[in-house]
Amino acid sequence: MEREDALKIVKEQLTDHRYRHTLGVMETAISLAKRYGADVKKAELAAIFHDYAKFRPKDELRQIILAQKFPENLLDYHSELWHAPAGAYLVEVEAGIKDKEVLDAITYHTSGRPRMTLLEKVIYLADYIEPGRHFPGVDEVRALAKEDLDKALIQAVKNTILFLMKKNQPVYPDSFQTYNDLVMSQED
Ligand code: DGI
Ligand code: FE
Ligand code: FE
């Protein structure tokens, strides 16, 4: 699917703010894909669709997670996690995206997972550092992203976990497993 067609589909699903975020993720994902050798077209497509389901009703997202056999424990954790896997399903059914690598990058863009693919890492990180993001610590991750994809990703996952813990919020186990897997894969 061409960029303009994909953007048109996604624009209808999002607020203006979220659409601008999507454009930022797209540009950032393309640049990370070029830097680290990921498939640039797949990165572009996954970025455009990554938040497709962000504004769907929670009940609809819950039903999709149950029906599509996504891990049910997702439903015990924050509903912010649901738009990622349910979004991948909706993008396939409603927008006709069939590419499994693209759909996986959408599925894991919020929690990550152990043994993330290069494309999944690119999308997770692009979502975190796109120019519209302003949370504490993001500049440090932006700088790391120019040097080392995994080190940047570790910092992003760590910041997210710490952010949740500071608010006494539960952390989805896959987020911890993502952190552990990345740290244990570091060579030094
Ligand atoms: O959809 P976006 O806002 O662009 O970003 P996202 O898909 O990374 O969603 C992040 C939100 O999800 C963030 O506000 C924190 C929340 N969240 C709740 N529980 C968890 C979680 N994020 C992660 N990574 N792990 C959790 O356990
Ligand atoms: Fe998201
Ligand atoms: Fe996003």
Side-chain angles (χ1 to χ4, degrees), residues 18 21 25 50-51 83 109 127 133:
R18 184 61 43 176
H21 161 71
V25 177
H50 84 283
D51 274 339
H83 74 285
H109 87 263
D127 190 25
R133 297 290 211 191

Side-chain angles (χ1 to χ4, degrees), residues 18 21 25 50-51 54 77-81 83-84 109-112 124 127-128 130 133 135 156-157 160-161 163-164 167 169-176:
R18 184 61 43 176
H21 161 71
V25 177
H50 84 283
D51 274 339
K54 190 83 178 171
Y77 290 87
H78 203 289
S79 56
E80 269 295 322
L81 293 161
H83 74 285
H109 87 263
T110 305
S111 64
Y124 186 105
D127 190 25
Y128 192 84
E130 65 93 1
R133 297 290 211 191
F135 28 68
V157 174
T160 303
I161 291 172
F163 166 81
L164 292 165
K167 294 199 298 174
Q169 287 195 10
V171 178
Y172 186 52
D174 288 34
S175 299
F176 281 125

Side-chain angles (χ1 to χ4, degrees), residues 5-188:
D5 298 319
L7 285 174
K8 215 171 141 216
I9 294 171
V10 110
K11 195 172 199 306
E12 288 174 22
Q13 301 288 326
L14 302 177
T15 59
D16 284 353
H17 177 80
R18 184 61 43 176
Y19 183 68
R20 280 196 302 278
H21 161 71
T22 295
L23 294 177
V25 177
M26 179 184 80
E27 292 299 345
T28 308
I30 289 171
S31 115
L32 288 172
K34 286 180 180 160
R35 184 184 296 268
Y36 293 106
D39 186 312
V40 175
K41 290 307 285 179
K42 289 188 190 200
E44 177 186 76
L45 204 58
I48 291 174
F49 282 110
H50 84 283
D51 274 339
Y52 180 84
K54 190 83 178 171
F55 299 104
R56 294 296 182 102
K58 281 183 196 166
D59 265 341
E60 184 185 0
L61 300 178
R62 187 183 289 112
Q63 291 314 318
I64 292 169
I65 285 163
L66 289 172
Q68 299 309 314
K69 316 232 179 296
F70 286 113
E72 276 191 34
N73 70 346
L74 266 171
L75 299 174
D76 299 332
Y77 290 87
H78 203 289
S79 56
E80 269 295 322
L81 293 161
W82 305 350
H83 74 285
Y89 168 78
L90 288 168
V91 160
E92 180 170 10
V93 182
E94 297 181 1
I97 305 294
K98 298 265 177 259
D99 189 302
K100 178 89 167 65
E101 291 177 55
V102 170
L103 296 174
D104 280 347
I106 298 169
T107 300
Y108 300 107
H109 87 263
T110 305
S111 64
R113 65 164 161 171
R115 313 294 308 272
M116 283 170 88
T117 65
L118 180 57
L119 188 69
E120 288 165 18
K121 291 177 178 179
V122 162
I123 298 303
Y124 186 105
L125 195 58
D127 190 25
Y128 192 84
I129 64 169
E130 65 93 1
R133 297 290 211 191
H134 297 292
F135 28 68
V138 69
D139 280 334
E140 188 189 353
V141 181
R142 284 188 181 116
L144 283 170
K146 292 192 167 66
E147 309 295 334
D148 186 315
L149 182 67
D150 282 353
K151 286 199 167 69
L153 201 60
I154 287 171
Q155 194 61 35
V157 174
K158 183 160 72 179
N159 286 351
T160 303
I161 291 172
L162 287 171
F163 166 81
L164 292 165
M165 290 182 73
K166 276 191 191 123
K167 294 199 298 174
N168 280 340
Q169 287 195 10
V171 178
Y172 186 52
D174 288 34
S175 299
F176 281 125
Q177 284 181 10
T178 305
Y179 171 81
N180 285 339
D181 174 68
L182 289 165
V183 168
M184 290 195 277
S185 318
Q186 291 281 295
E187 276 152 25
D188 47 327

